Amino acid sequence: MRTGVIQESYGELISLFRNPTQTYWTWALAIISLAAPLVLTGHVTSLVNGMMIAAVGVIGLNLLTGTTGLISFGHAGFLAVGGYTAAILSADYGMPLWLCLPAGGLMAAAFGLLVGIPSLRLKGLYLAITTLAFTIIITHIILSAESITHGSAGISTPRPAIFGLELATDKSFYYLILAILTLAVLGSANIKRSRIGRAFLAIREQDIAARAMGIPVARYKLYAFVVSSFYAGVAGALMAYHIRFVNVDSFSLILSIEAVSMIIVGGLGSTAGAVIGVVFVLGLAEVLNYVINLTGGSLGSLSALELKGFIYGLTIVLFLRFEPDGLMGIYREYKNRWINWPFRY
């Protein structure tokens, strides 16, 4: 048995790694991630690329919903803004990838600011409905502005290339996505241990008390919307390059439901939990697709899409009922049992 990890200074309290064990595991994960494309098949690499792109967006949603406590179903709308911005700039104007990615994030952040301003006085279900309406509005705009977005026909994006080097295969694109995911994780971790992150947590716990302590709640809520939207916009731009084609069907409402289920399954407020939730939910979807293909494209009277929606809803309900802290909560519980053994606490 050991006493646990004790922080003896403020610097240790806000450090990125709380103990040497975390540092060792992080380096091991980095080495495995760098070596993974050398042993993975093309299909598995493409699947992992999709998971990492989803993780970038879900980390941003986790900052908004998990850390700040603002429920959002507008994730698909922000993905669409980022994806279409990158697709239009690259396909119609020939702009390079290194400009299209941040442009997609900035455009989504601007829309996040527009959504955040009228939502400042809304909470819970009312905020969720407002962000849901945003996704529907974005879909309508895409279909209506055919001269810009090509309407329902969609846009084919060119092969991704950076500084003249064409990323022609999934394995070469993997390292770019991995680098962006690493920056996303570091950005989220540093935000959460900064003054802004502590304000987010205070707002999540009780915004009235946060306001009484002098925290400008409206400003920090807008910060949360803008940062979350930027993450989603970058993820949407990467998604456009990954699938090489975007239309309104690529950003359906089911993406927002998937994203919410991922942060609930992984653990609200946890950056690592957001990534684990992505792996769990998308891995579950892949297993489900395999089972559906074995049964001829449907399972009883349910189609593949209906079954996916049912599974996501059931997953959310079960985790909220039996393990509200998600997979990271389960991990922390067993870790504490191991540390405190043979005592219960």
Side-chain angles (χ1 to χ4, degrees):
M1 189 186 76
R2 61 182 183 179
T3 59
V5 179
I6 300 174
Q7 283 82 36
E8 298 179 346
S9 67
Y10 183 72
E12 292 180 356
L13 183 65
I14 65 170
S15 64
L16 197 59
F17 300 108
R18 297 297 179 89
N19 54 68
T21 303
Q22 287 186 353
T23 306
Y24 300 149
W25 279 110
T26 301
W27 279 109
L29 180 61
I31 293 171
I32 293 171
S33 299
L34 290 172
L38 303 178
V39 297
L40 296 178
T41 63
H43 172 71
V44 176
T45 303
S46 178
L47 178 62
V48 172
N49 285 353
M51 288 182 174
M52 290 194 296
I53 292 171
V56 173
V58 170
I59 288 171
L61 180 64
N62 187 57
L63 285 172
L64 179 65
T65 300
T67 305
T68 316
L70 303 175
I71 302 173
S72 173
F73 283 105
H75 189 68
F78 296 121
L79 286 174
V81 171
Y84 265 89
T85 299
I88 291 169
L89 292 178
S90 61
D92 295 344
Y93 296 96
M95 291 183 65
L97 178 143
W98 63 272
L99 284 178
C100 292
L101 290 182
L106 291 173
M107 183 62 74
F111 274 87
L113 185 62
L114 292 176
V115 174
I117 290 174
S119 303
L120 291 176
R121 293 184 176 274
L122 301 177
K123 296 181 182 179
L125 179 62
Y126 300 102
L127 178 60
I129 293 174
T130 301
T131 55
L132 179 65
F134 167 73
T135 300
I136 298 172
I137 291 170
I138 288 296
T139 300
H140 180 72
I141 292 174
I142 291 172
L143 292 174
S144 301
E146 293 189 17
S147 59
I148 300 175
T149 63
H150 300 249
S152 59
I155 305 174
S156 295
T157 57
R159 288 185 180 275
I162 184 166
F163 302 119
L165 178 63
E166 188 174 275
L167 307 177
T169 64
D170 287 323
K171 293 191 176 184
S172 57
F173 196 35
Y174 170 94
Y175 290 105
L176 174 64
I177 303 173
L178 178 63
I180 294 173
L181 176 59
T182 303
L183 292 176
V185 170
L186 291 174
S188 175
N190 281 288
I191 286 173
K192 289 170 64 176
R193 67 196 185 106
S194 69
R195 184 175 69 175
I196 295 176
R198 292 192 291 276
F200 286 172
L201 290 172
I203 293 170
R204 182 188 70 181
E205 297 303 324
Q206 180 53 262
D207 59 345
I208 296 176
R211 187 178 290 109
M213 290 189 295
I215 296 173
V217 172
R219 184 196 307 170
Y220 282 106
K221 283 185 177 181
L222 288 179
Y223 286 169
F225 264 105
V226 170
V227 172
S228 174
S229 304
F230 179 82
Y231 272 73
V234 172
L238 287 171
M239 183 177 172
Y241 281 105
H242 176 57
I243 62 179
R244 302 284 307 283
F245 178 78
V246 292
N247 66 358
V248 289
D249 295 331
S250 305
F251 306 99
S252 62
L253 182 59
I254 193 70
L255 287 182
S256 295
I257 300 173
E258 280 183 0
V260 172
S261 69
M262 288 168 183
I263 59 175
I264 290 175
V265 168
L268 288 168
S270 169
T271 302
V275 178
I276 293 170
V278 169
V279 175
F280 181 90
V281 173
L282 292 186
L284 181 64
E286 190 68 16
V287 172
L288 191 61
N289 286 333
Y290 178 75
V291 173
I292 290 173
N293 289 333
L294 289 179
T295 58
S298 64
L299 198 61
S301 60
L302 294 175
S303 66
L305 186 60
E306 292 171 336
L307 192 57
K308 275 188 178 181
F310 172 76
I311 292 297
Y312 293 144
L314 182 63
T315 301
I316 292 174
V317 170
L318 290 178
F319 269 92
L320 287 176
R321 173 62 182 85
F322 297 105
E323 189 51 70
D325 293 331
L327 295 174
M328 286 302 295
I330 297 173
Y331 163 73
R332 285 191 292 266
E333 179 183 351
Y334 279 95
K335 184 182 75 170
N336 290 334
R337 286 185 182 182
W338 172 258
I339 291 173
N340 296 321
W341 186 86
F343 302 104
R344 296 185 64 184
Y345 55 87

